[in-house]
Amino acid sequence: MEALVINGGMPLHGSVPISGAKNAVLPILAATVLHGGKYVLCNCPDIADVRTAVEILQTLGAQVTRVGDVLSVDTRDLCGYMIPGRLMLQMRASVLFLGPLLARHGRAVLTLPGGCPLGHRPIDLHLQTMSQLGAAVTLVEEQIRCHGPVLHGGTVCFPFPSVGATENAIMAAVACHGSVTIHNAAKEPEICDLAAFLQAMGAEIKGVGTHTLYITGGMPLHDADYTIMPDRIETATYLCAAAACGGEVTLQGAHSDHLIPVIQTLRQAGCTIEEQDGITIRSDAVLTSVEEIETAPYPGFPTDAQAPVMAALLRARGKTRFSETVFEQRFAHVPQLRRFGADIRLSGAAAVVSGVETLVPARTEACDLRAAAALVIAALQTQGESRIFGLKHLDRGYDNPERKLSSLGASIRRAQ
Ligand code: EPZ
């Protein structure tokens, strides 16, 4: 089985580019379904989830080609409205094709999406939204069948700011006959990126970046070119690696305003972080724990950074209490981090990390995307050879991690 072989314990030095944001490019690729046109998307990461989204588009009849980090998408001949179950199961973002397919064809047939096992992760809010906008939604065994030749305007109120449900609501609303108001919308930077792309296509969306969005449906849409925002969670991951290993690392193209809680945490832990021309972090690898980290929807502490930051603080002096409020089961990385000798106690939705002097090399297996990143960070700071399995999870969301880490001086290679 393929593994990353990491000989850790060395500081990291150098500069690496941050790739385009996975959680922005995926809804934007889905949005190209809304209008039969030609789109040039720059700064697209070369990751498994993007390859899955491209395969979904091609299965529906679109033409997609990649040159470097540029994806050219032609959806003029896109005529399909059914997404095969095997593609739905490969990632959570496959559900983001629901709104666009309903908007384009008046119908959509899909199954429940896959994705990281972080708890139940239902799609009830996605389906309720489609019904509120006029679609008939029926569940027949595993199949979700949506039929709505005419979507009308209205008001959508989310009980909590769901990222994916907000994205599906915006994309369906763009095609409604009338206006749509979304209350308690999520306002992650990736949603702002989707909205900016839709506006480039001709959509009229007001309130972007707030919890209340106003969409004027039925505006004529057209081709658009767009550059995807940098990936803030990839940025957080490399910041955590540098914090834990020590050294000086510059992340080219990173936007610090997307990561304020993570930057504040690493500064409190003893790192120096400068924010111009990207982000530069300096660390002596001797960190101090921060008392409390509680994940929350944006602009709170990002849940996707919880595992990487936990890995960075495994040797920090003192204790850090992590409270996970977004997903009900997002501590699957804890048993794997303990194999490195980490001292982590779980109690319900909280995990308490007590810093240890040294970690020991381990053989571990990742069980989800950000857990995989946490294991890499643990291995990088540990003297000796560690092996990390379950790389399919890492490859879903990180573009060439071993190349980037090797360029920073890490001893890391992929082996069978
Ligand atoms: C998006 O997932 C991201 N994925 C996740 O990133 C991220 O962790 C999450 O937002 C929160 O920021 C993509 O953008 C592709 P939610 P999503 O809907 O849309 C519950 C990563 O590592 N919920 O905001 O699925 C749900 O179970 C991934 O890159 C419902 O109950 O997140 C969860 O507890 C992991 N009903 C909470 O809401 C619904 O209909 C937040 O989920 C939808 C969600």
Side-chain angles (χ1 to χ4, degrees):
M1 201 155 82
E2 201 179 34
L4 275 183
V5 180
I6 297 174
N7 274 284
M10 291 172 285
L12 301 177
H13 288 279
S15 173
V16 287
I18 290 299
S19 301
K22 167 178 87 81
N23 293 346
V25 69
L26 293 174
I28 286 172
L29 283 167
T32 63
V33 169
L34 285 166
H35 162 73
K38 297 178 76 173
Y39 307 92
V40 177
L41 304 176
C42 300
N43 202 30
C44 296
D46 186 10
I47 56 178
D49 276 9
V50 167
R51 291 190 284 274
T52 299
V54 166
E55 191 175 347
I56 290 174
L57 283 168
Q58 290 168 335
T59 302
L60 295 169
Q63 309 292 321
V64 187
T65 55
R66 176 187 278 270
V67 177
D69 71 3
V70 179
L71 283 177
S72 299
V73 183
D74 183 342
T75 58
R76 288 174 295 178
D77 298 332
L78 186 148
C79 53
Y81 60 88
M82 298 179 73
I83 301 179
R86 68 175 181 81
L87 292 176
M88 287 298 300
L89 281 175
Q90 288 183 24
M91 62 178 186
R92 172 79 178 181
S94 47
V95 74
L96 298 178
F97 284 85
L98 170 60
L101 284 173
L102 204 49
R104 175 80 178 267
H105 295 312
R107 54 184 175 171
V109 176
L110 53 165
T111 57
L112 289 172
C116 292
L118 307 174
H120 177 200
R121 301 190 83 180
I123 61 169
D124 53 327
L125 299 179
H126 298 247
L127 301 180
Q128 283 165 22
T129 300
M130 299 305 128
S131 303
Q132 284 174 287
L133 298 180
V137 178
T138 51
L139 280 168
V140 180
E141 289 159 14
E142 282 275 293
Q143 250 191 8
I144 302 160
R145 296 177 187 166
C146 295
H147 186 260
V150 177
L151 296 178
H152 51 65
T155 298
V156 174
C157 297
F158 288 125
F160 56 81
S162 157
V163 171
T166 298
E167 291 167 338
N168 251 328
I170 294 171
M171 292 190 280
V174 161
C176 282
H177 293 244
S179 62
V180 176
T181 301
I182 304 173
H183 292 293
N184 205 17
K187 58 178 188 176
E188 273 66 5
E190 293 79 11
I191 290 179
C192 299
D193 224 33
L194 169 64
F197 174 66
L198 291 169
Q199 288 168 332
M201 286 174 69
E204 190 172 297
I205 306 170
K206 293 188 170 32
V208 177
T210 74
H211 283 308
T212 307
L213 297 172
Y214 305 92
I215 296 116
T216 306
M219 301 298 287
L221 302 178
H222 48 72
D223 299 2
D225 297 347
Y226 195 73
T227 297
I228 307 298
M229 64 174 270
D231 193 313
R232 62 192 173 106
I233 307 303
E234 184 194 29
T235 302
T237 303
Y238 284 99
L239 287 173
C240 289
C245 296
E248 179 172 331
V249 168
T250 294
L251 303 177
Q252 302 154 20
H255 287 184
S256 57
D257 53 339
H258 294 164
L259 270 178
I260 292 168
V262 172
I263 290 173
Q264 279 172 345
T265 297
L266 295 177
R267 279 180 172 145
Q268 281 176 34
C271 299
T272 304
I273 296 177
E274 289 169 11
E275 306 158 54
Q276 79 258 349
D277 303 332
I279 301 177
T280 296
I281 181 170
R282 290 182 196 85
S283 165
D284 61 6
V286 179
L287 302 179
T288 305
S289 62
V290 298
E291 270 187 37
E292 182 79 34
I293 291 176
E294 181 170 292
T295 66
Y298 193 84
F301 191 97
T303 174
D304 294 346
Q306 180 250 106
V309 169
M310 183 182 288
L313 297 179
L314 293 179
R315 295 183 299 127
R317 281 193 303 268
K319 293 179 189 289
T320 300
R321 178 186 170 86
F322 289 82
S323 300
E324 174 55 61
T325 71
V326 176
F327 290 101
E328 60 266 31
Q329 285 166 11
R330 195 164 200 172
F331 287 130
H333 45 283
V334 167
Q336 296 303 322
L337 290 174
R338 285 183 181 137
R339 295 167 72 92
F340 286 92
D343 179 350
I344 309 173
R345 286 174 177 68
L346 287 175
S347 61
V352 178
V353 177
S354 302
V356 295
E357 272 299 307
T358 53
L359 295 169
V360 295
R363 293 167 68 91
T364 61
E365 181 161 5
C367 48
D368 66 65
L369 166 57
R370 305 306 172 181
L375 297 180
V376 170
I377 293 166
L380 286 170
Q381 65 186 295
T382 303
Q383 293 276 354
E385 181 178 288
S386 297
R387 284 181 183 253
I388 298 169
F389 298 88
L391 300 189
K392 66 174 181 177
H393 297 289
L394 188 70
D395 294 338
R396 283 191 47 213
Y398 288 93
D399 188 344
N400 256 309
E402 59 263 39
R403 178 166 53 86
K404 292 186 179 181
L405 288 166
S406 297
S407 75
L408 296 174
S411 167
I412 178 172
R413 62 186 171 83
R414 205 170 276 236
Q416 288 305 326

